[in-house]
Amino acid sequence: LAGRGTVSHGVESYPQAFQLWDSVSQIFQDYMAQNGVQQGANLPHISFHKVNMTDGVTLDTIIINPYPYDAKKPACVVRSPYGPTTENMADIFTATNNFVAVLQDQRGTFGSGGDFDMWRGASVDARDTFDWVSGQNWSDGTIFTAGASADGIAEFAAVLANPPQLRGQWIMW
């Protein structure tokens, strides 16, 4: 797989970036083997970003963009307090089904700034994140969310901001 996928960094890089890339690479290798995908196939592009919220706090965000990288695609946003290396099959599923996976550390967790406030400000952060995602060159402006447990609470909170981009949610309690 070396050399067939790409990893790029936004303003700052995650210390866990290469750990994550190893995990994602293994999952894609398994997926490719199980589904008869050729070894030379284009793997998703993974990038790391600090996304600015309206109050100036930045949230660590990983983008997994499937090939073709410049095509307009919907996004599946997962906002989590569990950290960037959480193995979440929803993220991998979205990237293998022509969605862009957007994985974000919630406010005050791992590399994200601010203080974790038990989801009190999660709706505002979700709205800011959705606005950022919609402005990316790969975005078709359509956003879905996914989450279970604490991630699911964040997805419930996103609805409170009434984001116009949100088209659906997969939530498991």
Side-chain angles (χ1 to χ4, degrees):
L1 279 177
R4 285 196 288 279
T6 59
V7 178
S8 66
H9 304 276
V11 176
E12 296 181 34
S13 64
Y14 280 100
Q16 305 93 342
F18 294 104
Q19 263 184 327
L20 174 73
W21 178 243
D22 289 343
S23 296
V24 171
S25 292
Q26 185 59 55
I27 291 168
F28 278 106
Q29 271 185 332
D30 294 346
Y31 173 84
M32 289 165 58
Q34 292 167 3
N35 292 283
V37 179
Q38 285 188 323
Q39 266 298 54
N42 291 301
L43 292 178
H45 176 259
I46 300 176
S47 57
F48 306 89
H49 306 269
K50 296 280 191 182
V51 176
N52 291 316
M53 301 293 105
T54 52
D55 65 356
V57 169
T58 61
L59 304 184
D60 282 2
T61 306
I62 298 171
I63 304 298
I64 304 175
N65 185 2
Y67 186 82
Y69 312 122
D70 58 352
K72 299 283 188 189
K73 301 176 202 74
C76 181
V77 176
V78 178
R79 302 185 61 255
S80 178
Y82 297 129
T85 58
T86 299
E87 291 186 28
N88 186 332
M89 289 311 294
D91 311 332
I92 303 308
F93 174 81
T94 59
T96 57
N97 287 281
N98 209 33
F99 278 75
V100 174
V102 179
L103 320 175
Q104 187 174 70
D105 291 340
Q106 288 180 3
R107 180 180 291 261
T109 65
F110 293 85
S112 288
D115 296 316
F116 185 68
D117 63 2
M118 298 299 290
W119 298 279
R120 283 190 274 293
S123 62
V124 175
D125 287 349
R127 177 67 181 257
D128 290 348
T129 300
F130 294 173
D131 289 346
W132 180 83
V133 167
S134 296
Q136 301 306 300
N137 63 353
W138 45 258
S139 175
D140 72 359
T142 304
I143 294 177
F144 296 84
T145 66
S149 186
D151 297 358
I153 295 169
E155 307 328 326
F156 274 124
V159 176
L160 299 175
N162 196 26
Q165 308 93 328
L166 186 59
R167 295 293 183 267
Q169 297 182 299
W170 178 85
I171 300 171
M172 190 168 83
W173 199 254

